[in-house]
Amino acid sequence: MTTNTAEAGAGPRRRDAAGTRRLLLDAARRRFAAAGYTATTVRDIATDAGVNVALINRYFTSKEGLFEACLAGVGDELGREAREDVTLERIPHDIAARLAGPDAAQYRNQLLLLLRSSGDERAERIRADILHTFADRLATAAGWRPGDTDAEGRMLRAQITLASAIGIALLRSSTALEPLSSASQEELAGPLRDMFTALLRP
Protein backbone atom coordinates (compact mmCIF):
# COMPACT_ATOMS: atom_id res chain seq x y z
CA MET A 1 0.00 0.00 0.00
CA THR A 2 2.84 2.39 0.82
CA THR A 3 4.35 1.95 -2.64
CA ASN A 4 1.03 2.50 -4.37
CA THR A 5 0.37 5.67 -2.37
CA ALA A 6 3.80 7.06 -3.27
CA GLU A 7 3.29 6.22 -6.93
CA ALA A 8 -0.17 7.75 -6.90
CA GLY A 9 1.25 10.94 -5.44
CA ALA A 10 4.18 11.04 -7.87
CA GLY A 11 1.95 11.59 -10.90
CA PRO A 12 0.38 14.86 -9.79
CA ARG A 13 3.74 16.20 -8.62
CA ARG A 14 5.27 15.49 -12.01
CA ARG A 15 2.32 17.07 -13.77
CA ASP A 16 2.50 20.13 -11.52
CA ALA A 17 6.21 20.48 -12.23
CA ALA A 18 5.66 20.20 -15.97
CA GLY A 19 2.80 22.70 -15.79
CA THR A 20 4.89 25.15 -13.79
CA ARG A 21 7.73 24.87 -16.28
CA ARG A 22 5.32 25.65 -19.13
CA LEU A 23 3.89 28.64 -17.27
CA LEU A 24 7.37 30.01 -16.66
CA LEU A 25 8.48 29.42 -20.25
CA ASP A 26 5.36 31.10 -21.67
CA ALA A 27 5.70 34.09 -19.35
CA ALA A 28 9.44 34.38 -19.97
CA ARG A 29 9.05 34.21 -23.73
CA ARG A 30 6.51 37.03 -23.72
CA ARG A 31 8.64 39.17 -21.40
CA PHE A 32 11.94 38.57 -23.18
CA ALA A 33 10.35 39.18 -26.60
CA ALA A 34 8.66 42.42 -25.52
CA ALA A 35 11.23 43.97 -23.18
CA GLY A 36 14.50 42.23 -23.95
CA TYR A 37 16.75 40.22 -21.69
CA THR A 38 18.28 42.96 -19.54
CA ALA A 39 15.03 44.77 -18.73
CA THR A 40 13.24 41.56 -17.75
CA THR A 41 13.59 40.41 -14.14
CA VAL A 42 12.96 36.94 -12.76
CA ARG A 43 10.38 38.49 -10.43
CA ASP A 44 8.50 39.88 -13.46
CA ILE A 45 8.42 36.42 -15.01
CA ALA A 46 7.36 34.66 -11.81
CA THR A 47 4.60 37.22 -11.23
CA ASP A 48 3.27 36.79 -14.78
CA ALA A 49 3.35 33.01 -14.35
CA GLY A 50 1.71 33.21 -10.91
CA VAL A 51 4.40 31.14 -9.19
CA ASN A 52 7.12 31.61 -6.57
CA VAL A 53 10.24 33.24 -7.99
CA ALA A 54 12.41 30.54 -6.38
CA LEU A 55 11.00 28.01 -8.86
CA ILE A 56 12.98 29.63 -11.68
CA ASN A 57 16.23 28.53 -10.06
CA ARG A 58 14.76 25.14 -9.26
CA TYR A 59 13.72 24.36 -12.82
CA PHE A 60 16.15 26.44 -14.90
CA THR A 61 19.11 27.16 -12.59
CA SER A 62 19.14 30.88 -13.42
CA LYS A 63 17.70 33.63 -15.57
CA GLU A 64 20.27 32.69 -18.22
CA GLY A 65 19.12 29.08 -18.09
CA LEU A 66 15.50 30.15 -18.54
CA PHE A 67 16.43 32.30 -21.53
CA GLU A 68 18.31 29.38 -23.09
CA ALA A 69 15.28 27.15 -22.57
CA CYS A 70 13.06 29.73 -24.27
CA LEU A 71 15.38 29.89 -27.28
CA ALA A 72 15.65 26.11 -27.50
CA GLY A 73 11.86 25.87 -27.36
CA VAL A 74 11.52 28.35 -30.22
CA GLY A 75 13.93 26.26 -32.29
CA ASP A 76 11.93 23.11 -31.58
CA GLU A 77 8.58 24.73 -32.40
CA LEU A 78 9.74 26.42 -35.58
CA GLY A 79 11.40 23.18 -36.63
CA ARG A 80 8.16 21.24 -36.18
CA GLU A 81 6.24 23.85 -38.15
CA ALA A 82 8.73 23.96 -41.02
CA ARG A 83 7.59 22.17 -44.13
CA GLU A 84 10.00 19.59 -45.45
CA ASP A 85 8.66 20.29 -48.95
CA VAL A 86 8.89 24.07 -48.64
CA THR A 87 8.88 25.70 -52.07
CA LEU A 88 9.79 29.16 -53.26
CA GLU A 89 6.15 29.78 -54.19
CA ARG A 90 4.88 28.91 -50.71
CA ILE A 91 7.40 30.94 -48.70
CA PRO A 92 5.67 34.37 -48.91
CA HIS A 93 2.25 32.83 -48.20
CA ASP A 94 3.58 30.91 -45.19
CA ILE A 95 5.34 33.97 -43.79
CA ALA A 96 2.25 36.18 -44.34
CA ALA A 97 0.16 33.61 -42.46
CA ARG A 98 2.56 33.63 -39.55
CA LEU A 99 2.79 37.42 -39.44
CA ALA A 100 -0.93 38.16 -39.73
CA GLY A 101 -2.79 34.87 -39.30
CA PRO A 102 -4.61 33.48 -36.25
CA ASP A 103 -1.36 32.53 -34.47
CA ALA A 104 0.47 35.76 -35.36
CA ALA A 105 1.10 36.83 -31.75
CA GLN A 106 2.80 33.54 -30.88
CA TYR A 107 4.90 33.55 -34.04
CA ARG A 108 5.83 37.22 -33.59
CA ASN A 109 7.15 36.45 -30.10
CA GLN A 110 9.18 33.57 -31.52
CA LEU A 111 10.81 35.84 -34.09
CA LEU A 112 11.35 38.72 -31.67
CA LEU A 113 12.96 36.40 -29.15
CA LEU A 114 15.59 35.58 -31.77
CA LEU A 115 16.60 39.26 -31.74
CA ARG A 116 17.20 39.34 -28.01
CA SER A 117 20.71 38.93 -26.67
CA SER A 118 21.65 37.89 -23.14
CA GLY A 119 25.39 38.08 -23.58
CA ASP A 120 25.54 34.40 -22.59
CA GLU A 121 27.74 32.41 -24.97
CA ARG A 122 25.58 29.29 -25.00
CA ALA A 123 22.38 31.28 -25.60
CA GLU A 124 24.05 33.14 -28.45
CA ARG A 125 25.09 29.84 -30.00
CA ILE A 126 21.53 28.50 -29.79
CA ARG A 127 20.17 31.69 -31.36
CA ALA A 128 22.72 31.66 -34.18
CA ASP A 129 22.05 27.98 -34.91
CA ILE A 130 18.29 28.63 -35.25
CA LEU A 131 18.83 31.57 -37.60
CA HIS A 132 21.34 29.62 -39.70
CA THR A 133 18.97 26.66 -39.97
CA PHE A 134 16.11 28.76 -41.31
CA ALA A 135 18.32 30.70 -43.69
CA ASP A 136 19.56 27.35 -45.01
CA ARG A 137 15.97 26.22 -45.63
CA LEU A 138 15.14 29.41 -47.49
CA ALA A 139 18.29 29.15 -49.57
CA THR A 140 17.64 25.46 -50.35
CA ALA A 141 14.11 26.29 -51.51
CA ALA A 142 15.69 28.79 -53.92
CA GLY A 143 18.01 26.13 -55.32
CA TRP A 144 21.08 26.77 -53.18
CA ARG A 145 23.57 23.93 -52.87
CA PRO A 146 26.96 24.07 -51.12
CA GLY A 147 29.71 24.49 -53.66
CA ASP A 148 27.54 26.07 -56.35
CA THR A 149 29.07 28.94 -58.28
CA ASP A 150 26.75 31.48 -56.64
CA ALA A 151 26.33 29.63 -53.33
CA GLU A 152 27.46 32.56 -51.21
CA GLY A 153 25.27 35.04 -53.07
CA ARG A 154 22.17 32.86 -52.71
CA MET A 155 22.83 32.35 -49.03
CA LEU A 156 23.18 36.11 -48.58
CA ARG A 157 19.85 36.69 -50.31
CA ALA A 158 18.22 34.03 -48.12
CA GLN A 159 19.55 35.73 -44.99
CA ILE A 160 18.25 39.10 -46.23
CA THR A 161 14.85 37.46 -46.75
CA LEU A 162 14.90 36.11 -43.19
CA ALA A 163 15.93 39.53 -41.86
CA SER A 164 13.03 41.11 -43.78
CA ALA A 165 10.50 38.74 -42.17
CA ILE A 166 11.88 39.47 -38.69
CA GLY A 167 11.88 43.20 -39.43
CA ILE A 168 8.23 43.13 -40.45
CA ALA A 169 7.36 41.28 -37.23
CA LEU A 170 9.28 43.87 -35.21
CA LEU A 171 7.62 46.86 -36.85
CA ARG A 172 4.15 45.36 -36.56
CA SER A 173 4.65 44.74 -32.86
CA SER A 174 6.35 47.94 -31.77
CA THR A 175 5.08 50.79 -33.94
CA ALA A 176 1.91 52.29 -35.37
CA LEU A 177 3.42 52.28 -38.84
CA GLU A 178 0.36 52.15 -41.06
CA PRO A 179 -0.71 50.46 -43.19
CA LEU A 180 1.92 47.83 -42.27
CA SER A 181 0.81 47.43 -38.66
CA SER A 182 -2.76 46.44 -39.50
CA ALA A 183 -2.24 44.78 -42.89
CA SER A 184 -4.06 41.47 -43.24
CA GLN A 185 -2.55 38.16 -44.25
CA GLU A 186 -3.85 38.64 -47.80
CA GLU A 187 -2.54 42.21 -48.00
CA LEU A 188 0.92 41.10 -46.91
CA ALA A 189 1.14 38.08 -49.18
CA GLY A 190 1.37 40.00 -52.48
CA PRO A 191 4.20 42.39 -51.58
CA LEU A 192 6.06 39.57 -49.81
CA ARG A 193 5.76 37.42 -52.92
CA ASP A 194 7.17 40.22 -55.11
CA MET A 195 10.03 40.97 -52.73
CA PHE A 196 10.98 37.38 -51.94
CA THR A 197 10.74 36.27 -55.56
CA ALA A 198 13.09 39.08 -56.55
CA LEU A 199 15.51 38.12 -53.79
CA LEU A 200 15.35 34.34 -54.00
CA ARG A 201 14.47 33.47 -57.58
CA PRO A 202 17.42 31.50 -59.04
Side-chain angles (χ1 to χ4, degrees), residues 32 36-42 45 56-57 60-68:
F32 287 139
Y37 180 85
T38 302
T40 297
T41 68
V42 291
I45 295 167
I56 291 178
N57 285 344
F60 302 100
T61 306
S62 62
K63 178 182 172 182
E64 290 84 354
L66 178 54
F67 184 70
E68 288 176 13

Side-chain angles (χ1 to χ4, degrees), residues 101-165:
D103 299 320
Q106 175 184 343
Y107 187 69
R108 182 182 65 239
N109 282 343
Q110 291 173 339
L111 290 179
L112 294 181
L113 191 61
L114 295 177
L115 296 178
R116 304 308 188 186
S117 175
S118 67
D120 178 73
E121 183 178 345
R122 176 174 163 75
E124 292 303 296
R125 193 161 56 245
I126 293 171
R127 186 167 66 115
D129 286 346
I130 295 170
L131 292 170
H132 278 298
T133 295
F134 279 86
D136 286 351
R137 287 177 177 159
L138 288 172
T140 300
W144 170 85
R145 298 293 182 275
D148 285 352
T149 303
D150 190 32
E152 185 173 340
R154 286 191 180 179
M155 181 57 69
L156 174 60
R157 292 194 293 276
Q159 291 176 356
I160 291 172
T161 300
L162 176 61
S164 299

Side-chain angles (χ1 to χ4, degrees), residues 128-201:
D129 286 346
I130 295 170
L131 292 170
H132 278 298
T133 295
F134 279 86
D136 286 351
R137 287 177 177 159
L138 288 172
T140 300
W144 170 85
R145 298 293 182 275
D148 285 352
T149 303
D150 190 32
E152 185 173 340
R154 286 191 180 179
M155 181 57 69
L156 174 60
R157 292 194 293 276
Q159 291 176 356
I160 291 172
T161 300
L162 176 61
S164 299
I166 294 175
I168 292 170
L170 177 62
L171 288 174
R172 281 173 64 90
S173 70
S174 62
T175 70
L177 187 64
E178 295 293 352
L180 179 64
S181 294
S182 59
S184 68
Q185 178 178 334
E186 292 74 21
E187 289 169 334
L188 287 175
L192 284 171
R193 182 187 62 245
D194 295 342
M195 180 178 67
F196 291 175
T197 298
L199 281 169
L200 293 175
R201 179 68 65 187

